[in-house]
Amino acid sequence: QVATSTSTSGTNSVSLTDTDGDGVLDQYDDYPNDATKATKLRFPSSGVNTIGFEGTFPSAGDADLNDLVTIYYIEEDQNAAGQIVEIRGSFQNMAHGAGNQYSLNLRLPSTVNVTYESEVRDGNSVLQATAVATKSTTEVTGVSQYTPSATDLQDGLRILGNTLTTVGSTWYTKNTDTTYAAGYMAKIKVKFNTPVDRSVIGTAPYDTFVR
């Protein structure tokens, strides 16, 4: 049902339409035909952010924050009440400056109810059927989808696997004579089957960590 009202002032007429009936007028609704979504946010608003990890956490180690270097951006969808209903993320490994190998993961509270989707491509944009999320997955041409358990959520959802593979040509930040090659990129989607408040999951990039 489409909610429509018209306001007339002199010769000017303004039509106020809420096509999906979620209480947000179409002109302010990023998803005017979907009552479960109203607002799309992007972090950062354009381009990407860079995050550097120290693999010896909670010890400061050498504190150079180059054990894994990843660029990312996050998109969030919120409903009319401001609750988060979906997260989409893009993560690309750029460099690896440690003797250990790492994987990149996302930890969510065990109380949330989500489905998780992951698509991983190498530096040449070739879909990787064996590099996607683990656990009980249903893979379709390299796209992994599954419903994580509470234990899975606390253990961490796999974003990108072993840096020995997912950093381009095993590019190592201390090497000066290596030709740079782009690392693997993951596109992930977290759908909250029950919408959650910001206080539950925090702000982007949430609890993203290396193992």
Side-chain angles (χ1 to χ4, degrees), residues 15-187:
S15 178
L16 306 178
T17 303
D18 179 12
T19 301
D20 57 18
D22 63 356
V24 180
L25 296 176
D26 287 1
Q27 59 183 315
Y28 304 116
D29 196 332
D30 289 323
Y31 300 96
N33 297 302
D34 185 347
T36 68
K37 298 179 179 181
T39 305
K40 179 167 71 173
L41 302 176
R42 190 185 193 277
F43 307 93
S45 58
S46 63
V48 295
N49 279 338
T50 301
I51 185 169
F53 294 95
E54 182 58 49
T56 58
F57 180 85
S59 168
D62 57 9
D64 58 4
L65 296 177
N66 74 342
D67 290 348
L68 178 62
V69 180
T70 303
I71 59 174
Y72 74 92
Y73 68 85
I74 301 285
E75 292 179 339
E76 281 183 357
D77 291 336
Q78 297 180 358
N79 61 19
Q83 296 173 306
I84 300 163
V85 296
E86 184 173 300
I87 291 170
R88 293 176 299 280
S90 173
F91 296 82
Q92 185 171 22
N93 281 347
M94 302 299 289
H96 169 224
N100 295 329
Q101 286 88 51
Y102 298 99
S103 63
L104 182 65
N105 306 272
L106 171 64
R107 180 181 288 116
L108 292 172
S110 60
T111 54
V112 300
N113 176 15
V114 305
T115 55
Y116 183 60
E117 181 177 308
S118 173
E119 176 184 310
V120 177
R121 295 180 182 270
D122 68 13
N124 296 312
S125 295
V126 177
L127 197 61
Q128 303 296 295
T130 60
V132 290
T134 54
K135 307 293 182 182
S136 301
T137 63
T138 301
E139 292 184 3
V140 182
T141 62
V143 178
S144 165
Q145 297 172 311
Y146 81 107
T147 301
S149 67
T151 300
D152 294 338
L153 292 170
Q154 281 294 281
D155 192 45
L157 303 173
R158 173 71 54 83
I159 298 175
L160 285 165
N162 194 323
T163 47
L164 192 63
T165 300
T166 58
V167 174
S169 299
T170 62
W171 198 77
Y172 186 60
T173 56
K174 293 181 180 179
N175 288 352
T176 59
D177 58 351
T178 302
T179 300
Y180 182 76
Y184 279 37
M185 176 184 288
K187 295 290 184 70

